[in-house]
Amino acid sequence: MPTLPSPSARQRRKEARPGELLDAALALFVEKGFAATRVEEVAARAGVSKGTLFLYFPSKEDLFKAVVRETIAGRLDEWNQELDAFEGSSAELLRYGLHSWWERIGMTPASGITKLIMSEARNFPEIAAFYEQEVIEPGDHLLRRVLQHGMDSGEFRPLNLELAVYSLIAPMIFLLMWKHSMAVCLPADKQFDPKAFLDSQIDLLLRGMLATPDTPTERTAP
């Protein structure tokens, strides 16, 4: 006669289900998009019934929102706390922020959420509005804090914060779109190191492209 799981084992299994459902949902949303993903598929991939899924998440929209909160919005809370405790220069803070963004989001399955939002926002304005509220606005605020930190310390010149944040966001969006589009199609010799790309972007932002008086330049003979 088979041995039934102990009550404690069943409890551990029950507690693990929301996380398993979120992992399955994230994978399917990134693979298929929001519209094409069916809750039955999510439940099957997580190894539970559709009814069990609905016990935790009443709708596909609720499931998607939970995925975003778990994989992206939560990271923004972490970075705000780290910014408060950061003791280095503003340039170091900027570099740390972009590198850790790549490690915590860009390198993970959650990196595909941005492409999903950009491709399906028009058809699903509710989830687009949710993403704006939970990710874009807090992310914008966080980047403004980093830039303001540099201006307050005298490391950065006065900036138009409303526009300057897009100079930080643009390379991040490029990496996400590249990863989930052209990168999967091109051979290894056409790929590039994301962190090296971010370092190049940071260098351009911090130093600009114009030569300064103390920058060596090549001169042509008269």
Side-chain angles (χ1 to χ4, degrees), residues 5-156:
S6 66
S8 59
R10 289 197 297 269
Q11 181 63 28
R12 287 195 297 272
R13 170 64 180 149
K14 182 177 180 180
E15 291 172 351
R17 281 175 183 161
E20 294 168 352
L21 285 164
L22 291 178
D23 289 342
L26 173 59
L28 285 165
F29 284 139
V30 172
E31 288 173 19
K32 305 181 67 172
F34 181 79
T37 296
R38 295 182 296 114
V39 292
E40 293 89 340
E41 296 175 288
V42 176
R45 183 168 294 198
V48 302
S49 68
K50 184 171 70 170
T52 298
L53 183 152
F54 284 133
L55 287 175
Y56 296 100
F57 308 104
S59 69
K60 186 167 73 170
E61 289 78 8
D62 290 318
L63 181 61
F64 178 80
K65 291 176 180 179
V67 166
V68 171
R69 289 192 176 109
E70 178 68 20
T71 62
I72 302 178
R75 305 293 82 76
L76 296 173
D77 293 336
E78 294 171 4
W79 283 314
N80 270 300
Q81 295 175 20
E82 291 171 5
L83 192 157
D84 291 334
F86 197 84
E87 296 181 351
S89 69
S90 295
E92 291 168 338
L93 175 60
L94 182 60
R95 193 175 305 276
Y96 168 77
L98 291 187
H99 279 201
S100 61
W101 163 81
W102 179 251
E103 292 166 358
R104 299 181 201 180
I105 295 179
M107 292 176 61
T108 75
S111 60
I113 294 293
T114 297
K115 183 172 181 287
L116 180 156
I117 290 293
M118 294 180 73
S119 62
E120 302 198 52
R122 182 184 294 271
N123 295 326
F124 298 96
E126 180 184 343
I127 65 169
F130 166 81
Y131 193 79
E132 169 75 21
Q133 179 179 348
E134 295 284 329
V135 176
I136 295 177
E137 289 183 4
D140 180 275
H141 176 72
L142 179 60
L143 292 174
R144 284 171 180 255
R145 287 190 65 194
V146 173
L147 296 175
Q148 188 66 56
H149 183 277
M151 290 192 292
D152 291 344
S153 66
E155 296 172 75
F156 298 165

Side-chain angles (χ1 to χ4, degrees), residues 210-217:
L210 294 176
T212 58
D214 58 352
T215 302
T217 58

